[in-house]
């Protein structure tokens, strides 16, 4: 690493987060660790820490991702959420990858395979992205699969909303129940519906024995981010919005103690003093209102920094970003700041959650937008 700009991945925090989630939500047989997108930008290598902490199934979105993960653990089961071509089933088999049946046509396409592959059936209960939508199709697959080499190991769905301000969560849950009403779910080894936020916001489901943990493992849980003093207001808003409608109980509070696993640092490499009415940056984006100190920090668009990033911390003090370039940001500082000072981009109170909130973006997107030009340093 020749440039002093990097992502710090705190594996102790990752491990503590997983243990903390498992302690708060015990009783599941399967805790899936969702590690698509290079483990949400943290780097695939973190799967080793996840497995040590208690994750006993991994989930990715493609066969390529599964193969990349397989380097780090030979044995753990890996579920692929996404589509795997029929021609690639041998590779999936050799890498012990569990398939998702994404549609009834897909089942027909692969059902004559010679490979004894584990499969999970995905139900489309309302996301309308992938999955089986009709009961007759589901029942046919469950019937016919018995005469194939495919091993039915699981069934699942994915919620489109957290179900806190809306009734859609309940609609999806009802759809799942309706689709599976003639099926004895006890005959399917793994039934999993919840992702991070549905887990922390809703009661457990007696028929589900697995949960898929993504963003919460990495330290984000919207519930934990709602300060206690805001909870009564949030509750009231929900009640007004959902008045008269049948909705399941939600937990706005929880005892989770999650810490953000990723932080980002860089360095001041140059400082210039400018006078009133001088400009900084492309399009002369910043105009000095007096005598100013402008620090150039060695991180930019090519690292994943966008205009949604508004401030940094240097020596514990917050300073505004006034211009962004491919490889640098300009920061309005004061005379305390020196060349080579460490700059916190994310961490020390600067979080992806607030950037996401201010820019109508998602933490998921921001995490995977941090590019590989920034080396990941593991602590
Ligand atoms: C099918 C599926 N399950 C679980 C997850 C994990 O979601 P989260 O990160 O919100 O916990 C994802 C992530 O997008 C997903 O696509």
């Amino acid at each position: 690493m020749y440039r002093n700009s990097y992502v710090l991945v705190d594996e102790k925090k990752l491990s503590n987060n997983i243990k903390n989630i498992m302690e708060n939500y015990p009783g599941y047989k399967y805790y899936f660790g969702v590690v698509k997108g290079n483990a949400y930008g943290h780097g695939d290598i973190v799967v080793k820490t996840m497995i040590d902490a208690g994750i006993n199934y991994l989930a990715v979105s493609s066969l390529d991702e599964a193969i990349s993960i397989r380097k780090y653990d030979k044995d753990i089961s890996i579920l692929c959420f996404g589509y795997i071509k029929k021609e690639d089933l041998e590779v999936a088999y050799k890498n012990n990858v569990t398939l998702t049946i994404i549609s009834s046509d897909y089942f027909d396409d692969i059902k004559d395979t010679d490979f004894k592959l584990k499969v999970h059936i995905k139900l489309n209960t309302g996301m309308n992205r992938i999955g089986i939508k009709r009961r007759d199709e589901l029942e046919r697959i469950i019937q016919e699969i018995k005469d194939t080499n495919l091993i039915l190991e699981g069934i699942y769905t994915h919620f489109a909303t957290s179900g806190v301000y809306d009734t859609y969560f309940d609609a999806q849950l009802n759809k799942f129940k309706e689709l599976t009403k003639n099926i004895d779910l006890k005959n399917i080894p793994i039934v999993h519906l919840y992702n991070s936020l549905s887990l922390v916001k809703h009661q457990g489901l007696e028929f589900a024995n697995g949960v898929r943990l993504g963003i919460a493992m990495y330290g984000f849980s919207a519930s934990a981010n709602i300060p206690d003093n805001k909870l009564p207001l949030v509750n009231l808003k929900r009640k007004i919005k959902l008045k008269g409608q049948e909705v399941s109980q939600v937990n706005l509070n929880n005892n989770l103690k999650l810490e953000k696993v990723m932080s980002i640092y860089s360095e001041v490499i140059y400082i210039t003093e400018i006078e009133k009415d001088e400009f900084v940056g492309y399009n002369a984006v910043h105009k000095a209102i007096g005598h100013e100190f402008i620090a150039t920090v060695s991180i930019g668009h090519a690292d994943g920094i966008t205009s949604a990033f508004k401030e940094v911390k240097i020596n514990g003090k917050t300073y505004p970003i006034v211009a962004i370039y491919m490889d640098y940001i300009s920061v309005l500082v004061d005379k305390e700041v020196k060349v080579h000072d460490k700059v916190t981009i994310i961490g020390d109170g600067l979080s992806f959650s607030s950037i996401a909130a201010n820019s109508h973006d998602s933490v998921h997107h921001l995490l995977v937008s941090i590019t590989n030009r920034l080396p990941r340093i593991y602590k």
Side-chain angles (χ1 to χ4, degrees):
M1 182 176 103
Y2 302 104
R3 187 177 59 135
N4 207 2
S5 302
Y6 58 97
V7 168
L8 186 71
V9 176
D10 191 325
E11 296 197 74
K12 185 81 195 143
K13 288 181 180 166
L14 177 64
S15 173
N16 288 344
N17 288 347
I18 293 166
K19 289 179 186 157
N20 188 246
I21 297 166
M22 291 174 68
E23 273 160 25
N24 277 280
Y25 302 95
Y28 289 94
K29 193 166 172 196
Y30 297 95
Y31 290 88
F32 287 78
V34 181
V35 290
K36 56 188 180 172
N38 199 22
Y40 287 39
H42 295 71
D44 286 345
I45 196 169
V46 298
V47 298
K48 294 203 275 188
T49 302
M50 289 179 180
I51 296 166
D52 287 347
I55 290 295
N56 54 8
Y57 216 123
L58 294 172
V60 295
S61 70
S62 67
L63 184 54
D64 304 81
E65 288 186 341
I67 292 167
S68 168
I69 296 291
R70 191 46 85 216
K71 297 200 285 283
Y72 300 105
D73 192 288
K74 286 203 303 292
D75 303 317
I76 191 156
S77 295
I78 304 176
L79 170 63
C80 179
F81 290 147
Y83 167 73
I84 298 182
K85 290 199 293 295
K86 190 177 181 182
E87 307 86 277
D88 299 334
L89 293 187
E90 183 172 0
V91 180
Y93 176 73
K94 286 188 174 151
N95 283 281
N96 184 19
V97 176
T98 308
L99 257 53
T100 292
I101 305 280
I102 64 161
S103 68
S104 130
D105 287 347
Y106 181 64
F107 172 69
D108 289 334
D109 190 30
I110 64 162
K111 67 184 177 191
D112 62 351
T113 180
D114 293 333
F115 301 106
K116 289 194 179 315
L117 282 153
K118 291 183 288 181
V119 300
H120 288 210
I121 299 176
K122 175 84 178 272
L123 299 186
N124 174 3
T125 55
M127 180 79 96
N128 287 316
R129 186 168 65 173
I130 50 173
I132 313 290
K133 215 171 173 175
R134 288 191 0 224
R135 206 168 70 212
D136 58 332
E137 287 180 340
L138 174 63
E139 290 172 4
R140 177 183 74 87
I141 293 170
I142 290 191
Q143 192 50 41
E144 286 186 19
I145 209 166
K146 294 176 187 149
D147 301 321
T148 70
N149 281 321
L150 301 172
I151 303 154
L152 177 56
E153 186 196 56
I155 189 162
Y156 70 108
T157 193
H158 191 45
F159 289 101
T161 69
S162 66
V164 174
Y165 296 106
D166 62 85
T167 53
Y168 208 60
F169 173 91
D170 300 83
Q172 285 196 257
L173 188 54
N174 289 338
K175 175 82 178 169
F176 184 91
K177 290 179 183 163
E178 198 266 318
L179 284 172
T180 56
K181 75 177 186 189
N182 297 329
I183 292 160
D184 189 355
L185 288 175
K186 289 195 202 71
N187 291 332
I188 303 181
I190 316 181
V191 180
H192 48 112
L193 286 81
Y194 283 176
N195 65 346
S196 302
L197 292 190
S198 36
L199 173 71
V200 306
K201 289 188 172 156
H202 296 272
Q203 305 301 314
L205 303 167
E206 73 289 350
F207 55 86
N209 62 353
V211 285
R212 301 184 304 274
L213 304 177
I215 201 76
M217 287 193 299
Y218 306 103
F220 299 86
S221 142
S223 292
N225 292 335
I226 302 175
D228 283 352
N229 60 357
K230 293 248 172 78
L231 279 174
L233 187 64
V234 171
N235 237 333
L236 185 68
K237 275 192 190 158
R238 179 174 195 270
K239 278 194 188 127
I240 294 168
K241 184 146 188 210
L242 302 180
K243 198 162 178 252
Q245 302 183 55
E246 275 293 315
V247 287
S248 60
Q249 222 186 320
V250 294
N251 309 318
L252 290 172
N253 209 352
N254 60 56
N255 293 321
L256 287 175
K257 291 188 179 54
L258 304 182
E259 290 186 278
K260 314 280 185 278
V261 175
M262 184 191 285
S263 42
I264 303 177
Y265 300 98
S266 187
E267 182 185 20
V268 174
I269 56 141
Y270 173 94
I271 293 179
T272 185
E273 292 181 44
I274 58 174
E275 303 304 329
K276 184 173 182 306
D277 296 339
E278 273 194 80
F279 293 94
V280 178
Y282 282 124
N283 299 320
V285 64
H286 172 75
K287 185 176 181 186
I289 54 170
H291 181 81
E292 290 181 354
F293 294 83
I294 301 292
T296 303
V297 178
S298 195
I299 195 165
H301 285 313
D303 302 295
I305 307 303
T306 68
S307 54
F309 290 66
K310 299 288 184 209
E311 39 190 34
V312 300
K313 278 202 172 171
I314 306 173
N315 304 322
K317 200 167 159 188
T318 306
Y319 298 100
I321 298 171
V322 294
I324 307 187
Y325 323 82
M326 182 75 108
D327 308 307
Y328 304 108
I329 55 176
S330 290
V331 180
L332 176 58
V333 294
D334 53 31
K335 63 176 184 333
E336 311 303 327
V337 172
K338 303 284 177 253
V339 169
H340 300 312
D341 277 354
K342 183 174 176 179
V343 181
T344 305
I345 310 292
I346 291 289
D348 192 16
L350 299 176
S351 110
F352 282 118
S353 314
S354 48
I355 296 174
N358 293 338
S359 55
H360 303 291
D361 205 343
S362 71
V363 171
H364 291 75
H365 176 236
L366 291 170
L367 283 171
V368 297
S369 303
I370 299 305
T371 69
N372 286 337
R373 193 169 86 167
L374 284 183
R376 270 58 175 172
I377 308 287
Y378 294 92
K379 179 168 146 190

